[in-house]
Amino acid sequence: MVGATLRPVHGADAIARLLLGVRRRQPDLTIEPATVNGQAGLVARDGAGRTLAVVSVTIAGGLVDRVWAVRNPEKLTRWT
């Protein structure tokens, strides 16, 4: 079982705090740029190279509009 934020997080400050908290809990985390469903995205892996999350980013007006993250291990098998 994996943890994930269940409610949308709004605003740059709240998102930054969320990401810093993730980094504190997972210090060996690596984040790599990737194309996810044809959009800009990221793949997060632990120190052993296991995929922990795949994130896609929607850009509107030159700014990040939405961030979608998948944490379900069954849905991440393609990214291993």
Side-chain angles (χ1 to χ4, degrees), residues 9-57:
V9 178
H10 299 279
D13 288 340
I15 292 169
R17 283 192 303 274
L18 173 72
L19 294 176
L20 288 170
V22 168
R23 185 63 157 169
R24 278 191 295 275
R25 289 186 302 279
Q26 189 80 40
D28 64 344
L29 188 70
T30 60
I31 300 174
E32 305 161 1
T35 301
V36 179
N37 295 329
Q39 302 279 355
L42 304 165
V43 177
R45 293 188 170 92
D46 66 11
R50 291 179 294 243
T51 302
L52 302 177
V54 174
V55 178
S56 65
V57 179

